[in-house]
mmCIF file of all heavy atoms in Angstrom:
data_model
loop_
_atom_site.group_PDB
_atom_site.id
_atom_site.type_symbol
_atom_site.label_atom_id
_atom_site.label_comp_id
_atom_site.label_asym_id
_atom_site.label_seq_id
_atom_site.Cartn_x
_atom_site.Cartn_y
_atom_site.Cartn_z
ATOM 1 N N LEU A 1 -1.282 -2.139 -7.321
ATOM 2 C CA LEU A 1 -0.943 -1.248 -6.220
ATOM 3 C C LEU A 1 0.445 -1.531 -5.665
ATOM 4 O O LEU A 1 1.316 -0.647 -5.645
ATOM 5 C CB LEU A 1 -1.993 -1.360 -5.108
ATOM 6 C CG LEU A 1 -1.649 -0.606 -3.809
ATOM 7 C CD1 LEU A 1 -1.556 0.890 -4.072
ATOM 8 C CD2 LEU A 1 -2.675 -0.910 -2.720
ATOM 9 N N LEU A 2 0.677 -2.757 -5.205
ATOM 10 C CA LEU A 2 1.964 -3.063 -4.585
ATOM 11 C C LEU A 2 3.090 -3.109 -5.610
ATOM 12 O O LEU A 2 4.239 -2.762 -5.299
ATOM 13 C CB LEU A 2 1.883 -4.377 -3.816
ATOM 14 C CG LEU A 2 1.005 -4.347 -2.550
ATOM 15 C CD1 LEU A 2 1.168 -5.621 -1.744
ATOM 16 C CD2 LEU A 2 1.324 -3.132 -1.681
ATOM 17 N N ARG A 3 2.773 -3.513 -6.835
ATOM 18 C CA ARG A 3 3.804 -3.516 -7.873
ATOM 19 C C ARG A 3 4.315 -2.103 -8.129
ATOM 20 O O ARG A 3 5.531 -1.864 -8.179
ATOM 21 C CB ARG A 3 3.253 -4.132 -9.164
ATOM 22 C CG ARG A 3 4.258 -4.147 -10.313
ATOM 23 C CD ARG A 3 3.648 -4.758 -11.564
ATOM 24 N NE ARG A 3 2.396 -4.111 -11.948
ATOM 25 C CZ ARG A 3 2.318 -2.925 -12.556
ATOM 26 N NH1 ARG A 3 3.429 -2.271 -12.856
ATOM 27 N NH2 ARG A 3 1.145 -2.410 -12.879
ATOM 28 N N VAL A 4 3.388 -1.151 -8.274
ATOM 29 C CA VAL A 4 3.772 0.235 -8.530
ATOM 30 C C VAL A 4 4.511 0.823 -7.326
ATOM 31 O O VAL A 4 5.544 1.498 -7.480
ATOM 32 C CB VAL A 4 2.537 1.091 -8.880
ATOM 33 C CG1 VAL A 4 2.865 2.581 -8.842
ATOM 34 C CG2 VAL A 4 2.004 0.702 -10.246
ATOM 35 N N LEU A 5 3.995 0.585 -6.138
ATOM 36 C CA LEU A 5 4.647 1.133 -4.944
ATOM 37 C C LEU A 5 6.065 0.596 -4.787
ATOM 38 O O LEU A 5 6.982 1.337 -4.410
ATOM 39 C CB LEU A 5 3.820 0.825 -3.693
ATOM 40 C CG LEU A 5 2.464 1.526 -3.565
ATOM 41 C CD1 LEU A 5 1.792 1.145 -2.252
ATOM 42 C CD2 LEU A 5 2.614 3.042 -3.661
ATOM 43 N N GLU A 6 6.265 -0.679 -5.083
ATOM 44 C CA GLU A 6 7.609 -1.237 -4.952
ATOM 45 C C GLU A 6 8.532 -0.725 -6.057
ATOM 46 O O GLU A 6 9.680 -0.341 -5.793
ATOM 47 C CB GLU A 6 7.564 -2.765 -4.982
ATOM 48 C CG GLU A 6 8.960 -3.362 -4.770
ATOM 49 C CD GLU A 6 8.955 -4.868 -4.731
ATOM 50 O OE1 GLU A 6 8.442 -5.490 -5.677
ATOM 51 O OE2 GLU A 6 9.482 -5.431 -3.756
ATOM 52 N N GLU A 7 8.045 -0.701 -7.301
ATOM 53 C CA GLU A 7 8.873 -0.247 -8.420
ATOM 54 C C GLU A 7 9.370 1.179 -8.222
ATOM 55 O O GLU A 7 10.485 1.526 -8.629
ATOM 56 C CB GLU A 7 8.085 -0.325 -9.728
ATOM 57 C CG GLU A 7 7.871 -1.732 -10.251
ATOM 58 C CD GLU A 7 6.999 -1.748 -11.492
ATOM 59 O OE1 GLU A 7 6.357 -0.713 -11.808
ATOM 60 O OE2 GLU A 7 6.944 -2.805 -12.148
ATOM 61 N N ARG A 8 8.548 1.989 -7.592
ATOM 62 C CA ARG A 8 8.898 3.403 -7.444
ATOM 63 C C ARG A 8 9.559 3.714 -6.100
ATOM 64 O O ARG A 8 9.896 4.863 -5.831
ATOM 65 C CB ARG A 8 7.661 4.275 -7.667
ATOM 66 C CG ARG A 8 7.242 4.280 -9.142
ATOM 67 C CD ARG A 8 6.120 5.243 -9.416
ATOM 68 N NE ARG A 8 5.889 5.376 -10.860
ATOM 69 C CZ ARG A 8 6.396 6.338 -11.619
ATOM 70 N NH1 ARG A 8 7.179 7.265 -11.090
ATOM 71 N NH2 ARG A 8 6.131 6.393 -12.915
ATOM 72 N N GLY A 9 9.727 2.710 -5.252
ATOM 73 C CA GLY A 9 10.514 2.895 -4.034
ATOM 74 C C GLY A 9 9.770 3.408 -2.827
ATOM 75 O O GLY A 9 10.376 4.016 -1.936
ATOM 76 N N TYR A 10 8.456 3.149 -2.749
ATOM 77 C CA TYR A 10 7.681 3.655 -1.625
ATOM 78 C C TYR A 10 7.654 2.720 -0.415
ATOM 79 O O TYR A 10 7.317 3.165 0.686
ATOM 80 C CB TYR A 10 6.223 3.900 -2.048
ATOM 81 C CG TYR A 10 6.016 5.023 -3.013
ATOM 82 C CD1 TYR A 10 5.887 4.785 -4.379
ATOM 83 C CD2 TYR A 10 5.936 6.338 -2.580
ATOM 84 C CE1 TYR A 10 5.684 5.814 -5.280
ATOM 85 C CE2 TYR A 10 5.730 7.375 -3.470
ATOM 86 C CZ TYR A 10 5.604 7.110 -4.819
ATOM 87 O OH TYR A 10 5.411 8.131 -5.708
ATOM 88 N N ILE A 11 7.925 1.444 -0.582
ATOM 89 C CA ILE A 11 7.685 0.471 0.483
ATOM 90 C C ILE A 11 8.905 0.297 1.377
ATOM 91 O O ILE A 11 9.999 -0.016 0.914
ATOM 92 C CB ILE A 11 7.266 -0.890 -0.097
ATOM 93 C CG1 ILE A 11 5.963 -0.752 -0.907
ATOM 94 C CG2 ILE A 11 7.082 -1.912 1.027
ATOM 95 C CD1 ILE A 11 5.514 -2.039 -1.576
ATOM 96 N N HIS A 12 8.687 0.483 2.673
ATOM 97 C CA HIS A 12 9.708 0.210 3.685
ATOM 98 C C HIS A 12 9.287 -0.975 4.546
ATOM 99 O O HIS A 12 10.011 -1.953 4.662
ATOM 100 C CB HIS A 12 9.937 1.450 4.549
ATOM 101 C CG HIS A 12 10.904 1.236 5.676
ATOM 102 N ND1 HIS A 12 12.203 0.840 5.471
ATOM 103 C CD2 HIS A 12 10.750 1.360 7.027
ATOM 104 C CE1 HIS A 12 12.826 0.731 6.638
ATOM 105 N NE2 HIS A 12 11.961 1.036 7.592
ATOM 106 N N GLN A 13 8.110 -0.862 5.156
ATOM 107 C CA GLN A 13 7.556 -1.945 5.976
ATOM 108 C C GLN A 13 6.125 -2.230 5.542
ATOM 109 O O GLN A 13 5.384 -1.327 5.156
ATOM 110 C CB GLN A 13 7.562 -1.556 7.467
ATOM 111 C CG GLN A 13 8.950 -1.365 8.057
ATOM 112 C CD GLN A 13 8.896 -0.600 9.367
ATOM 113 O OE1 GLN A 13 8.481 0.562 9.397
ATOM 114 N NE2 GLN A 13 9.313 -1.234 10.447
ATOM 115 N N LEU A 14 5.742 -3.496 5.636
ATOM 116 C CA LEU A 14 4.403 -3.929 5.235
ATOM 117 C C LEU A 14 3.991 -5.048 6.175
ATOM 118 O O LEU A 14 4.740 -6.003 6.370
ATOM 119 C CB LEU A 14 4.445 -4.408 3.783
ATOM 120 C CG LEU A 14 3.144 -4.721 3.051
ATOM 121 C CD1 LEU A 14 2.179 -3.547 3.114
ATOM 122 C CD2 LEU A 14 3.444 -5.068 1.594
ATOM 123 N N THR A 15 2.809 -4.913 6.774
ATOM 124 C CA THR A 15 2.434 -5.875 7.817
ATOM 125 C C THR A 15 2.130 -7.264 7.270
ATOM 126 O O THR A 15 2.485 -8.262 7.866
ATOM 127 C CB THR A 15 1.204 -5.365 8.604
ATOM 128 O OG1 THR A 15 0.134 -5.091 7.673
ATOM 129 C CG2 THR A 15 1.549 -4.106 9.379
ATOM 130 N N ASP A 16 1.451 -7.339 6.153
ATOM 131 C CA ASP A 16 1.090 -8.634 5.566
ATOM 132 C C ASP A 16 1.062 -8.456 4.054
ATOM 133 O O ASP A 16 0.013 -8.211 3.464
ATOM 134 C CB ASP A 16 -0.274 -9.093 6.096
ATOM 135 C CG ASP A 16 -0.755 -10.402 5.465
ATOM 136 O OD1 ASP A 16 0.024 -11.029 4.711
ATOM 137 O OD2 ASP A 16 -1.911 -10.797 5.723
ATOM 138 N N ALA A 17 2.226 -8.566 3.431
ATOM 139 C CA ALA A 17 2.346 -8.290 1.999
ATOM 140 C C ALA A 17 1.451 -9.201 1.176
ATOM 141 O O ALA A 17 0.754 -8.756 0.262
ATOM 142 C CB ALA A 17 3.807 -8.438 1.566
ATOM 143 N N GLU A 18 1.463 -10.471 1.501
ATOM 144 C CA GLU A 18 0.676 -11.427 0.725
ATOM 145 C C GLU A 18 -0.812 -11.148 0.843
ATOM 146 O O GLU A 18 -1.553 -11.174 -0.147
ATOM 147 C CB GLU A 18 0.986 -12.852 1.195
ATOM 148 C CG GLU A 18 0.280 -13.923 0.376
ATOM 149 C CD GLU A 18 0.619 -15.339 0.846
ATOM 150 O OE1 GLU A 18 1.526 -15.484 1.686
ATOM 151 O OE2 GLU A 18 -0.029 -16.291 0.359
ATOM 152 N N GLY A 19 -1.267 -10.854 2.070
ATOM 153 C CA GLY A 19 -2.686 -10.593 2.289
ATOM 154 C C GLY A 19 -3.153 -9.326 1.601
ATOM 155 O O GLY A 19 -4.217 -9.302 0.965
ATOM 156 N N LEU A 20 -2.365 -8.254 1.692
ATOM 157 C CA LEU A 20 -2.744 -6.999 1.048
ATOM 158 C C LEU A 20 -2.688 -7.130 -0.465
ATOM 159 O O LEU A 20 -3.551 -6.595 -1.176
ATOM 160 C CB LEU A 20 -1.826 -5.862 1.520
ATOM 161 C CG LEU A 20 -2.113 -4.479 0.919
ATOM 162 C CD1 LEU A 20 -3.543 -4.033 1.200
ATOM 163 C CD2 LEU A 20 -1.121 -3.440 1.454
ATOM 164 N N ASP A 21 -1.690 -7.841 -0.974
ATOM 165 C CA ASP A 21 -1.575 -8.043 -2.419
ATOM 166 C C ASP A 21 -2.796 -8.767 -2.963
ATOM 167 O O ASP A 21 -3.364 -8.390 -3.998
ATOM 168 C CB ASP A 21 -0.306 -8.840 -2.720
ATOM 169 C CG ASP A 21 0.001 -8.921 -4.202
ATOM 170 O OD1 ASP A 21 -0.179 -7.905 -4.903
ATOM 171 O OD2 ASP A 21 0.421 -10.001 -4.664
ATOM 172 N N LYS A 22 -3.220 -9.783 -2.256
ATOM 173 C CA LYS A 22 -4.393 -10.553 -2.672
ATOM 174 C C LYS A 22 -5.649 -9.688 -2.628
ATOM 175 O O LYS A 22 -6.481 -9.725 -3.552
ATOM 176 C CB LYS A 22 -4.549 -11.772 -1.764
ATOM 177 C CG LYS A 22 -5.687 -12.694 -2.153
ATOM 178 C CD LYS A 22 -5.727 -13.915 -1.234
ATOM 179 C CE LYS A 22 -6.874 -14.857 -1.608
ATOM 180 N NZ LYS A 22 -6.920 -16.056 -0.698
ATOM 181 N N LEU A 23 -5.806 -8.899 -1.564
ATOM 182 C CA LEU A 23 -6.974 -8.032 -1.424
ATOM 183 C C LEU A 23 -6.997 -6.966 -2.523
ATOM 184 O O LEU A 23 -8.040 -6.738 -3.157
ATOM 185 C CB LEU A 23 -6.957 -7.359 -0.049
ATOM 186 C CG LEU A 23 -8.167 -6.478 0.284
ATOM 187 C CD1 LEU A 23 -9.412 -7.337 0.488
ATOM 188 C CD2 LEU A 23 -7.890 -5.641 1.540
ATOM 189 N N ALA A 24 -5.850 -6.340 -2.776
ATOM 190 C CA ALA A 24 -5.786 -5.263 -3.772
ATOM 191 C C ALA A 24 -5.993 -5.777 -5.191
ATOM 192 O O ALA A 24 -6.423 -5.025 -6.070
ATOM 193 C CB ALA A 24 -4.449 -4.536 -3.667
ATOM 194 N N ALA A 25 -5.686 -7.047 -5.426
ATOM 195 C CA ALA A 25 -5.911 -7.634 -6.749
ATOM 196 C C ALA A 25 -7.371 -7.993 -6.961
ATOM 197 O O ALA A 25 -7.827 -8.146 -8.105
ATOM 198 C CB ALA A 25 -5.036 -8.870 -6.927
ATOM 199 N N ALA A 26 -8.143 -8.109 -5.853
ATOM 200 C CA ALA A 26 -9.516 -8.599 -5.946
ATOM 201 C C ALA A 26 -10.571 -7.507 -5.827
ATOM 202 O O ALA A 26 -11.683 -7.671 -6.324
ATOM 203 C CB ALA A 26 -9.752 -9.652 -4.855
ATOM 204 N N GLN A 27 -10.258 -6.380 -5.178
ATOM 205 C CA GLN A 27 -11.288 -5.370 -4.924
ATOM 206 C C GLN A 27 -10.663 -3.991 -4.717
ATOM 207 O O GLN A 27 -9.445 -3.853 -4.601
ATOM 208 C CB GLN A 27 -12.097 -5.737 -3.671
ATOM 209 C CG GLN A 27 -11.267 -5.702 -2.385
ATOM 210 C CD GLN A 27 -12.089 -6.031 -1.148
ATOM 211 O OE1 GLN A 27 -12.516 -7.178 -0.979
ATOM 212 N NE2 GLN A 27 -12.318 -5.035 -0.304
ATOM 213 N N VAL A 28 -11.538 -2.985 -4.690
ATOM 214 C CA VAL A 28 -11.103 -1.629 -4.370
ATOM 215 C C VAL A 28 -10.762 -1.571 -2.886
ATOM 216 O O VAL A 28 -11.562 -1.961 -2.035
ATOM 217 C CB VAL A 28 -12.203 -0.601 -4.700
ATOM 218 C CG1 VAL A 28 -11.808 0.788 -4.206
ATOM 219 C CG2 VAL A 28 -12.483 -0.577 -6.195
ATOM 220 N N VAL A 29 -9.570 -1.097 -2.579
ATOM 221 C CA VAL A 29 -9.118 -0.993 -1.191
ATOM 222 C C VAL A 29 -9.106 0.477 -0.773
ATOM 223 O O VAL A 29 -8.317 1.266 -1.310
ATOM 224 C CB VAL A 29 -7.707 -1.585 -1.012
ATOM 225 C CG1 VAL A 29 -7.222 -1.398 0.432
ATOM 226 C CG2 VAL A 29 -7.685 -3.059 -1.389
ATOM 227 N N PRO A 30 -9.961 0.875 0.164
ATOM 228 C CA PRO A 30 -9.846 2.226 0.715
ATOM 229 C C PRO A 30 -8.637 2.283 1.662
ATOM 230 O O PRO A 30 -8.497 1.446 2.556
ATOM 231 C CB PRO A 30 -11.158 2.416 1.487
ATOM 232 C CG PRO A 30 -12.074 1.320 1.000
ATOM 233 C CD PRO A 30 -11.163 0.176 0.670
ATOM 234 N N GLY A 31 -7.772 3.274 1.431
ATOM 235 C CA GLY A 31 -6.599 3.441 2.273
ATOM 236 C C GLY A 31 -6.442 4.890 2.678
ATOM 237 O O GLY A 31 -6.847 5.799 1.945
ATOM 238 N N TYR A 32 -5.840 5.112 3.841
ATOM 239 C CA TYR A 32 -5.745 6.497 4.314
ATOM 240 C C TYR A 32 -4.365 6.826 4.865
ATOM 241 O O TYR A 32 -3.579 5.949 5.227
ATOM 242 C CB TYR A 32 -6.814 6.785 5.368
ATOM 243 C CG TYR A 32 -6.453 6.456 6.806
ATOM 244 C CD1 TYR A 32 -6.010 7.454 7.689
ATOM 245 C CD2 TYR A 32 -6.573 5.162 7.310
ATOM 246 C CE1 TYR A 32 -5.698 7.163 9.007
ATOM 247 C CE2 TYR A 32 -6.274 4.865 8.625
ATOM 248 C CZ TYR A 32 -5.834 5.871 9.475
ATOM 249 O OH TYR A 32 -5.517 5.579 10.782
ATOM 250 N N ILE A 33 -4.110 8.121 4.900
ATOM 251 C CA ILE A 33 -2.950 8.687 5.580
ATOM 252 C C ILE A 33 -3.444 9.900 6.354
ATOM 253 O O ILE A 33 -4.276 10.668 5.865
ATOM 254 C CB ILE A 33 -1.844 9.115 4.590
ATOM 255 C CG1 ILE A 33 -1.361 7.914 3.770
ATOM 256 C CG2 ILE A 33 -0.652 9.734 5.338
ATOM 257 C CD1 ILE A 33 -0.309 8.259 2.718
ATOM 258 N N GLY A 34 -2.928 10.093 7.556
ATOM 259 C CA GLY A 34 -3.330 11.214 8.388
ATOM 260 C C GLY A 34 -2.335 12.366 8.327
ATOM 261 O O GLY A 34 -1.126 12.154 8.245
ATOM 262 N N PHE A 35 -2.864 13.589 8.374
ATOM 263 C CA PHE A 35 -2.041 14.798 8.346
ATOM 264 C C PHE A 35 -2.568 15.763 9.399
ATOM 265 O O PHE A 35 -3.741 16.142 9.349
ATOM 266 C CB PHE A 35 -2.099 15.481 6.972
ATOM 267 C CG PHE A 35 -1.669 14.609 5.825
ATOM 268 C CD1 PHE A 35 -2.587 13.767 5.198
ATOM 269 C CD2 PHE A 35 -0.359 14.611 5.377
ATOM 270 C CE1 PHE A 35 -2.206 12.956 4.142
ATOM 271 C CE2 PHE A 35 0.033 13.795 4.319
ATOM 272 C CZ PHE A 35 -0.886 12.966 3.701
ATOM 273 N N ASP A 36 -1.728 16.152 10.335
ATOM 274 C CA ASP A 36 -2.146 17.156 11.305
ATOM 275 C C ASP A 36 -2.056 18.547 10.686
ATOM 276 O O ASP A 36 -1.196 18.813 9.829
ATOM 277 C CB ASP A 36 -1.291 17.080 12.570
ATOM 278 C CG ASP A 36 -1.779 15.996 13.532
ATOM 279 O OD1 ASP A 36 -2.895 15.484 13.319
ATOM 280 O OD2 ASP A 36 -1.044 15.669 14.486
ATOM 281 N N ALA A 37 -2.949 19.429 11.129
ATOM 282 C CA ALA A 37 -3.076 20.767 10.525
ATOM 283 C C ALA A 37 -2.359 21.804 11.374
ATOM 284 O O ALA A 37 -2.963 22.741 11.893
ATOM 285 C CB ALA A 37 -4.555 21.117 10.358
ATOM 286 N N THR A 38 -1.036 21.668 11.506
ATOM 287 C CA THR A 38 -0.266 22.573 12.353
ATOM 288 C C THR A 38 0.169 23.841 11.638
ATOM 289 O O THR A 38 0.691 24.758 12.267
ATOM 290 C CB THR A 38 0.982 21.849 12.901
ATOM 291 O OG1 THR A 38 1.731 21.312 11.798
ATOM 292 C CG2 THR A 38 0.574 20.697 13.813
#
């Protein structure tokens, strides 16, 4: 996850890179983005 996001230029800020990297390497991580319906 983080390898692809970094290689393709998506990452600007990350709260805990090491912690998320470890979690994403070990299990399925549900992640979300919000979109308002204007």
Side-chain angles (χ1 to χ4, degrees):
L1 172 63
L2 291 189
R3 179 180 54 77
V4 167
L5 292 182
E6 183 177 54
E7 287 176 347
R8 289 186 171 264
Y10 292 98
I11 299 177
H12 176 59
Q13 295 163 297
L14 189 54
T15 55
D16 177 7
E18 184 179 351
L20 180 58
D21 188 40
K22 184 177 180 180
L23 183 70
Q27 66 178 69
V28 173
V29 177
Y32 87 99
I33 300 177
F35 302 86
D36 277 348
T38 55

